[in-house]
Amino acid sequence: MRLIFIMPLAALALSACSLTPPLVKPAAPIPASYAESAAPVAADSAAGTAADLGWRQMLLDARLQRLVDIALENNRDLRVASLNVEAVRAQYQIQDAGRYPGVGANAGGVRQRGADGAVQNTFTAGIALSAFEIDLFGRLRSLSDAAFARYLATQQGQRAAHMALIGAVADAYLEQRLAEEQLALARQTLLDWRQALVLTQRLHGAQQGSGLDVAQAEGQAATAEADVQARERASFLARNNLELLLGAPLPTDLPVGRPLDGQPVLTQLPPGLPSDLLARRPDILQAEYALAAANAEIGAARAAFFPRLSLTASLGLASPELGDLFRGSARSWSFAPQVTQPLFQGGQLRAELQLSRLRKDVAVLQYEQAIQAAFREVRDGLAGSATFAQQIAAQERVVAAARQRQRLSQLRYDAGQDSRLELLDAQRQSYAAQQALLDARRDQFKSAVALYQALGGGLEE
């Protein structure tokens, strides 16, 4: 009788045959090195590659670091990603449980009357195996492997969501800093131009200026006022977006943030080699595990063509009298193996095998696409790293020249050597140059954050 329960264990040891084809990953469709030459690496980022930097080393602004902490704790999208991982893990455990025998205890009694009018009693108690499939050709193992690979892919999806959230918070914070600094510049400009308008109106009242000068000054002040409203709106929208990412209102005790010219984000990052992306980027690893799952499903589809051996067995006690149920003579057992061989399925099994192969082909292409997209993102980031510093240096010279022109135009206008139109043009040029400089600094830091993510950074503090 022990054989009834020893046989399933022996069958588990024998069910090592697998029809899953070997997983051969395609060669990475990218060059061995980056063509772009990155800017010199900063001294505090010289260890390893950018992916080795914790995000606190990358995001230098204490205010931004606090915001990232809040987002990692409260963001709903990140919570959903974590719950999805748990859900897929539960699905894997359900799938994997099918590979093992299920043992249950039962007890019951039947009282019935036969055709001869006699009443019969039957009492039973025991343990049983219920339709346990012996996995001779690895069908259940392949399904379990596929489920486990999908679980690992979901884990990588969570890591990607973690990195994306850090990058999104950094971008939203930079947008807010830009809006606030541009708003401050617009307000100061409006104040200066309103004072100029008052002076122009007084000169006109004293017959020392024309109505055209007044109209030009009024238009200039109105333009600045409209720009202030636009900058205020941008500031509100940036704050709303930041709070959405945080999953909570902005705290009132945040540290003072760095200005855009105070280097809130590290901009010089060591890229390493393109091959590093295959082990660093969670989206590439996610595509790789999806490929492994599709490959395992081919094995399950192949095994479906072969016979299935299932086993139902029980060992227990049976007696017509409840009082005699636990006596030695009441022992009973049953053993019911069953073999099922598919004969005709209308082409379903072949179609399922073809479908699994097509899904693997799609997974191969998606894996290659993930690698190519990652390589392009890194190259885009390196292009920004190589050019933004020079662009900002040039824009700073533009600002200095525009301010000098504005100062000289003011002196010439006061001396009566230039028209007010020339002064207005100089003032507008100076204002636009300062706004453009703020934009360029914001873009530089956002490009650095994007490069950091593209290289696989953002998971370690």
Side-chain angles (χ1 to χ4, degrees):
M1 295 182 188
R2 295 177 181 174
L3 186 63
I4 297 174
F5 298 99
I6 293 176
M7 284 191 65
L9 300 177
L12 286 173
L14 293 174
S15 59
C17 176
S18 175
L19 299 178
T20 300
L23 178 60
V24 179
K25 293 186 294 184
I30 54 176
S33 61
Y34 299 110
E36 293 78 6
S37 57
V41 177
D44 55 349
S45 64
T49 66
D52 297 320
L53 294 174
W55 60 262
R56 293 186 189 277
Q57 297 172 276
M58 174 67 189
L59 309 178
L60 306 177
D61 190 325
R63 186 182 183 93
L64 176 54
Q65 291 177 0
R66 174 77 182 282
L67 293 174
V68 171
D69 282 331
I70 295 173
L72 292 177
E73 182 177 354
N74 296 290
N75 183 266
R76 269 54 176 180
D77 288 337
L78 195 59
R79 290 185 183 181
V80 169
S82 299
L83 292 175
N84 284 338
V85 171
E86 297 301 318
V88 176
R89 181 170 66 177
Q91 291 174 350
Y92 159 67
Q93 291 172 339
I94 293 171
Q95 183 66 60
D96 191 59
R99 299 174 50 214
Y100 305 98
V103 181
N106 60 75
V110 177
R111 181 179 178 86
Q112 62 182 7
R113 180 177 179 177
D116 57 358
V119 178
Q120 297 178 343
N121 297 322
T122 303
F123 299 94
T124 60
I127 55 177
L129 297 176
S130 178
F132 165 59
E133 180 178 342
I134 299 175
D135 195 21
L136 294 177
F137 299 98
R139 187 184 74 88
L140 296 178
R141 178 59 182 267
S142 295
L143 292 175
S144 177
D145 290 344
F148 183 64
R150 283 191 290 270
Y151 162 62
L152 295 178
T154 309
Q155 275 191 325
Q156 296 303 322
Q158 182 193 23
R159 296 175 70 235
H162 184 282
M163 291 170 53
L165 178 60
I166 294 175
V169 172
D171 284 350
Y173 175 73
L174 291 171
E175 290 291 346
Q176 186 188 38
R177 295 300 304 168
L178 173 68
E180 290 176 348
E181 294 191 25
Q182 287 186 330
L183 176 58
L185 176 59
R187 284 174 173 168
Q188 182 60 50
T189 301
L190 175 59
L191 179 61
D192 294 340
W193 290 357
R194 278 179 173 172
Q195 291 175 350
L197 172 60
V198 171
L199 179 59
T200 303
Q201 289 172 335
R202 289 177 179 175
L203 291 173
H204 178 63
Q207 304 297 320
Q208 296 182 9
S210 67
L212 178 59
D213 290 342
V214 174
Q216 290 173 342
E218 288 176 344
Q220 186 182 40
T223 299
E225 185 175 353
D227 199 34
V228 166
Q229 297 303 315
R231 304 300 177 182
E232 286 184 347
R233 181 173 63 253
S235 180
F236 287 136
L237 294 178
R239 180 186 180 94
N240 293 341
N241 184 39
L242 189 55
E243 288 187 343
L244 176 62
L245 292 171
L246 297 185
L250 285 177
T252 58
D253 59 344
L254 289 173
V256 176
R258 294 189 184 188
L260 290 178
D261 61 358
Q263 192 74 10
V265 174
L266 188 66
T267 56
Q268 305 304 328
L269 301 172
L273 297 175
S275 57
D276 296 336
L277 300 178
L278 304 184
R280 294 285 193 177
R281 290 271 301 226
D283 55 340
I284 294 179
L285 294 175
Q286 185 177 14
E288 182 178 331
Y289 287 128
L291 174 59
N295 189 69
E297 288 172 348
I298 293 178
R302 283 178 172 178
F305 286 88
F306 293 87
R308 296 186 189 181
L309 175 61
S310 62
L311 176 64
T312 300
S314 65
L315 174 64
L317 304 169
S319 173
E321 299 293 337
L322 183 60
D324 296 332
L325 181 61
F326 296 100
R327 295 184 179 180
S329 60
R331 293 177 181 174
S332 67
W333 60 272
S334 67
F335 179 72
Q338 181 179 4
V339 177
T340 303
Q341 170 62 55
L343 296 179
F344 178 73
Q345 302 287 340
Q348 177 182 345
L349 296 181
R350 292 188 180 278
E352 290 177 346
L353 178 57
Q354 179 66 12
L355 178 61
S356 65
R357 287 171 173 167
L358 291 173
R359 285 175 173 168
K360 180 185 176 182
D361 292 341
V362 171
V364 169
L365 293 176
Q366 291 174 336
Y367 175 66
E368 292 176 337
Q369 284 178 332
I371 295 174
Q372 290 175 334
F375 182 73
R376 191 215 68 191
E377 289 172 2
V378 172
R379 294 187 65 183
D380 288 348
L382 291 176
S385 178
T387 57
F388 267 118
Q390 291 85 346
Q391 177 187 349
I392 290 173
Q395 188 62 36
E396 288 174 343
R397 294 196 299 271
V398 171
V399 170
R403 285 175 172 170
Q404 177 68 358
R405 180 195 172 192
Q406 179 182 350
R407 186 182 69 82
L408 295 176
S409 294
Q410 184 70 53
L411 293 174
R412 291 176 62 85
Y413 174 74
D414 293 341
Q417 297 179 358
D418 275 346
S419 67
R420 178 154 188 86
L421 184 60
E422 174 66 24
L423 175 60
L424 290 178
D425 184 63
Q427 290 173 335
R428 289 168 181 166
Q429 185 185 43
S430 177
Y431 177 63
Q434 293 177 73
Q435 295 284 19
L437 178 59
L438 292 174
D439 284 331
R441 284 172 174 160
R442 183 274 318 270
D443 292 342
Q444 180 190 33
F445 296 133
K446 291 185 69 172
S447 176
V449 171
L451 176 58
Y452 180 59
Q453 287 183 268
L455 293 170
L459 294 176
E460 301 295 335
E461 293 191 8

